[in-house]
Amino acid sequence: MNLSSMRIFDGGQQFLHSLLRMNFTGLSGQIQFDVDKNLVHPAYDVLNIGGTGSRRIGYWSNYSGLSTVTPEVLYRKPPNTSVSSQHLYSVIWPGETSIVPRGWVFPENGRPLRIAVPNRVSYLQFVSKDRNPPGVRGYCIDVFEAALNLLPYPVPRVYMLHGDGRRNPVYNEIVQAVAEDRYDAAVGDVTIVTNRTKIVDFTQPFMESGLVVVAPVKEVKSSPWAFLRPFTFQMWLVTGAFFLFVGAVVWILEHRINNEFRGPPWKQITTIFWFSFSTMFFSHRENTVSTLGRLVLIIWLFVVLIINSSYTASLTSILTVQELTSRIEGIDSLASSNEPIGIQDGSFARNYLIEELHIAESRLVILKTQQEYSSSLHLGPNRGGVAAIVDELPYIELFLSASTCAFKIVGQEFTKSGWGFAFQRDSPLAVDLSTAILQLSENGDLQKLNNKWLTHADCSEQVNEIDHYHLSLKSFWGLFLISGIACFIALVVFFYNIVCQYRRFTPEDGAAAEEGEIQLARPRRFLRSTSFKKLIDFVDMKVDTTKEMIKRKSTDIKRQGSPSSDGHAVSPS
Ligand code: GLY
């Protein structure tokens, strides 16, 4: 480089003074600077350009802002920058309209939007090639067209199929092409996933989606222990305990007055068991004679009625509903196995399984058509098929509704996402179409389009989880509570009466009682005793005996308390 020819410019001040001294009329008007080095009276014409021509609709100057009067005239008046004085002549917008458009406006001579559409070979209901204009059809296209119709401006567009028509296109490539400006948008069953949202803008989802596992199922053989299945273990335990508890309570309440609940201890124990469990079939032979016993029994029989009918209904369902099970229980058991997994050609599922779930790529089998889905599941892992398929729910719903009921969704949907239309970053169309999609959803049009294109058969609903028919304690604890409370109240009343009666035997005056059904050789000592055993003996005593004793006791007291015929009081024995 010839550095010696370089010169240092040090005439900056002189250059500045030359500029500040300028005063001439250029193309844009007067060129002159004030002492603050600002242009003197800067002003511009405001033009409305339409087609190939233009018209002036006003002026702008920093003296008075926007106006329809020339700045030269305004300079002679005091400055007025009030909002009311800021106006221009009306603008003619593209389309020869003076209504201000909102959002993007595509000029009629503008380039139409280049819209990429996946050229699918499976699940054509969502989007596919069409011989007739506009060249594509399907649920996604109908949703897009319906959303465009809600926009307040026209959007010229051309649909461009992406894919060779022999295999589903790779959806990541379509999104990449939009980001690289090879298309303006992508319309179809494009899933909104994180990697894609980094390079394009998606509209609101118009379809819910998520990955699920589909596996072959086989019918479960009926078990000889099926009769135990209507109730959970806990329910059986509590029901059995309540039968015995109610039997015991009724025995306590009846024992003193009912000969059928009396007798030697072993007979009474047998009676309790027999009585308890015969209420299950309402076939108990022992009569209940006490009011409290009847109260407890009637409530218990109501509980038994409900339990019996629930058991019958549940057992009927279990024995008549087809129960299907699968070796694969969900994504966790599938991922931890080493078996081949089917995935849809072109789908993001491949990347997800490899990158997020760390499933070996060699295990993934690409399935191109619905027939391949079906045949590889039928073949199974041992005959060159797959153990299960991982795909998005909307495809699987269509697949299951069109196939025999030999497959079912196992486990939960393990990702949650949706399908949206992809636009280049910062495209205002993405925002406007999101609003339009929400409108479609709210006014029910989205559902109508769904019904038009995606009819689902009921096969998936026939596959019931037998667990639904298990009855647990949760459904019955209210009944047990009512019965328990009734037993408790009855026992409290019963023992209150017993204690009252027992206290009438406790003679402050030393009244005598004779031997009754229990051994009362020394009645006074018995009556004074308050030991627990004596109380139990008293409870065990038949009520008639008790009454008789009370009667005798009262007679004795009266006799002892009244003067004798010879004028002497009888002393207590
Ligand atoms: N729905 C297919 C995909 O976006 O990968």
Side-chain angles (χ1 to χ4, degrees):
M1 292 177 70
N2 185 9
L3 293 175
S4 60
S5 65
M6 289 185 77
R7 296 280 181 276
I8 294 169
F9 174 72
D10 61 356
Q13 279 302 320
Q14 200 186 345
F15 180 55
L16 178 63
H17 283 131
S18 302
L19 287 176
L20 293 175
R21 276 200 306 276
M22 277 195 296
N23 185 1
F24 65 95
T25 305
L27 275 178
S28 61
Q30 183 70 14
I31 305 292
Q32 190 183 2
F33 299 95
D34 62 17
V35 286
D36 294 328
K37 306 182 187 72
N38 291 323
L39 198 62
V40 172
H41 296 325
Y44 299 94
D45 288 356
V46 180
L47 301 180
N48 177 194
I49 299 170
T52 51
S54 69
R55 59 185 265 272
R56 187 168 55 218
I57 54 169
Y59 306 92
W60 179 88
S61 72
N62 67 350
Y63 184 72
S64 53
L66 295 168
S67 72
T68 50
V69 181
T70 57
E72 287 77 18
V73 174
L74 292 174
Y75 289 142
R76 283 184 238 126
K77 297 179 185 172
N80 179 8
T81 50
S82 64
V83 176
S84 57
S85 65
Q86 305 285 307
H87 56 85
L88 300 168
Y89 293 120
S90 58
V91 179
I92 312 265
W93 298 98
E96 299 301 315
T97 174
S98 58
I99 298 165
V100 182
R102 54 168 300 280
W104 260 12
V105 177
F106 293 88
E108 283 190 3
N109 60 351
R111 172 173 63 77
L113 218 57
R114 298 161 301 167
I115 297 174
V117 176
N119 193 4
R120 292 193 62 90
V121 294
S122 61
Y123 303 110
L124 302 181
Q125 294 93 324
F126 293 117
V127 63
S128 65
K129 184 179 173 178
D130 192 19
R131 284 164 202 259
N132 303 318
V136 286
R137 66 197 294 270
Y139 169 71
C140 302
I141 302 296
D142 277 8
V143 173
F144 184 67
E145 289 286 332
L148 284 186
N149 287 339
L150 291 178
L151 297 186
Y153 48 86
V155 180
R157 56 197 171 274
V158 54
Y159 291 108
M160 302 163 86
L161 284 164
H162 186 104
D164 57 13
R166 288 193 293 275
R167 291 179 63 164
N168 284 345
V170 179
Y171 279 66
N172 279 346
E173 284 177 6
I174 301 180
V175 175
Q176 187 65 36
V178 173
E180 288 171 1
D181 195 27
R182 283 187 273 148
Y183 301 111
D184 296 309
V187 168
D189 48 341
V190 184
T191 310
I192 304 170
V193 290
T194 316
N195 284 345
R196 295 175 184 173
T197 55
K198 288 177 186 162
I199 54 174
V200 293
D201 278 355
F202 278 97
T203 59
Q204 286 284 321
F206 58 88
M207 176 76 143
E208 277 189 21
S209 178
L211 288 175
V212 291
V213 178
V214 187
V217 286
K218 59 179 186 313
E219 201 171 333
V220 173
K221 299 250 174 345
S222 191
S223 150
W225 303 105
F227 71 92
L228 289 174
R229 300 180 74 187
F231 290 159
T232 57
F233 176 70
Q234 200 187 20
M235 179 69 189
W236 278 118
L237 213 64
V238 172
T239 308
F242 249 81
F243 269 107
L244 288 178
F245 173 66
V246 172
V249 169
V250 172
W251 176 82
I252 291 172
L253 300 174
E254 290 292 314
H255 174 66
R256 299 189 75 228
I257 49 175
N258 191 341
N259 279 337
E260 288 181 275
F261 288 87
R262 298 188 70 80
W266 64 266
K267 183 175 176 285
Q268 295 192 37
I269 290 172
T270 320
T271 307
I272 290 176
F273 273 90
W274 177 246
F275 178 81
S276 304
F277 289 103
S278 57
T279 57
M280 195 188 301
F281 312 103
F282 309 100
S283 62
H284 46 287
R285 279 176 308 161
E286 292 79 4
N287 282 323
T288 40
V289 293
S290 73
T291 314
L292 291 174
R294 283 174 179 171
L295 173 84
V296 167
L297 188 64
I298 202 74
I299 291 175
W300 176 241
L301 289 180
F302 175 70
V303 174
V304 170
L305 176 77
I306 303 290
I307 291 176
N308 273 354
S309 42
S310 306
Y311 176 87
T312 313
S314 174
L315 186 64
T316 311
S317 308
I318 287 172
L319 295 180
T320 52
V321 165
Q322 184 191 25
E323 191 186 355
L324 303 173
T325 62
S326 166
R327 220 165 26 83
I328 310 284
E329 283 163 5
I331 186 64
D332 293 332
S333 59
L334 182 63
S336 58
S337 72
N338 276 324
E339 296 180 321
I341 302 170
I343 52 167
Q344 188 186 137
D345 195 15
S347 166
F348 77 97
R350 179 179 175 278
N351 286 7
Y352 181 85
L353 294 180
I354 295 172
E355 287 162 19
E356 303 291 329
L357 300 186
H358 309 293
I359 291 175
E361 198 177 343
S362 56
R363 286 180 61 196
L364 303 183
V365 179
I366 304 284
L367 305 173
K368 299 192 187 84
T369 59
Q370 280 137 286
Q371 288 73 33
E372 284 190 18
Y373 274 54
S374 199
S375 58
S376 48
L377 279 177
H378 272 304
L379 285 173
N382 299 332
R383 290 187 291 153
V386 295
I389 292 174
V390 173
D391 202 355
E392 290 175 80
L393 188 59
Y395 304 117
I396 294 305
E397 280 177 341
L398 278 187
F399 169 66
L400 291 180
S401 64
S403 63
T404 59
C405 294
F407 318 118
K408 77 164 183 172
I409 295 172
V410 289
Q412 300 288 315
E413 204 178 346
F414 58 94
T415 65
K416 282 269 177 220
S417 57
W419 293 349
F421 304 127
F423 286 87
Q424 289 179 12
R425 290 307 287 263
D426 301 325
S427 162
L429 260 181
V431 180
D432 285 359
L433 277 175
S434 291
T435 314
I437 287 169
L438 289 178
Q439 258 178 283
L440 287 177
S441 165
E442 284 164 16
N443 66 18
D445 285 351
L446 207 54
Q447 189 56 44
K448 282 186 201 144
L449 291 175
N450 200 306
N451 296 344
K452 174 185 162 193
W453 287 98
L454 315 170
T455 44
H456 297 137
D458 284 342
C459 187
S460 55
E461 283 156 28
Q462 290 169 21
V463 181
N464 290 296
E465 296 293 341
I466 212 78
D467 280 353
H468 294 172
Y469 300 106
H470 281 307
L471 299 174
S472 72
L473 195 58
K474 260 192 293 183
S475 322
F476 294 95
W477 69 262
L479 283 173
F480 286 124
L481 185 71
I482 292 170
S483 177
I485 289 173
C487 290
F488 177 75
I489 292 172
L491 286 176
V492 167
V493 172
F494 174 79
F495 282 112
Y496 176 78
N497 284 340
I498 287 282
V499 169
C500 286
Q501 283 182 12
Y502 184 65
R503 288 182 69 180
R504 285 166 67 190
F505 271 108
T506 313
E508 297 303 325
D509 53 3
E514 292 187 12
E515 280 184 21
E517 193 173 306
I518 57 166
Q519 290 297 312
L520 297 175
R522 312 280 297 254
R524 268 176 87 184
R525 232 175 51 208
F526 161 73
L527 293 169
R528 281 187 185 136
S529 168
T530 53
S531 73
F532 184 68
K533 179 163 185 323
K534 297 287 181 193
L535 178 64
I536 295 297
D537 287 344
F538 182 78
V539 173
D540 190 40
M541 196 190 300
K542 201 168 176 203
V543 75
D544 297 345
T545 316
T546 319
K547 280 183 185 161
E548 201 174 310
M549 286 168 66
I550 291 172
K551 210 164 123 191
R552 272 193 223 162
K553 184 188 140 195
S554 330
T555 321
D556 285 354
I557 289 170
K558 271 190 210 148
R559 204 183 319 132
Q560 288 159 15
S562 61
S564 62
S565 53
D566 58 1
H568 296 287
V570 179
S571 63
S573 60

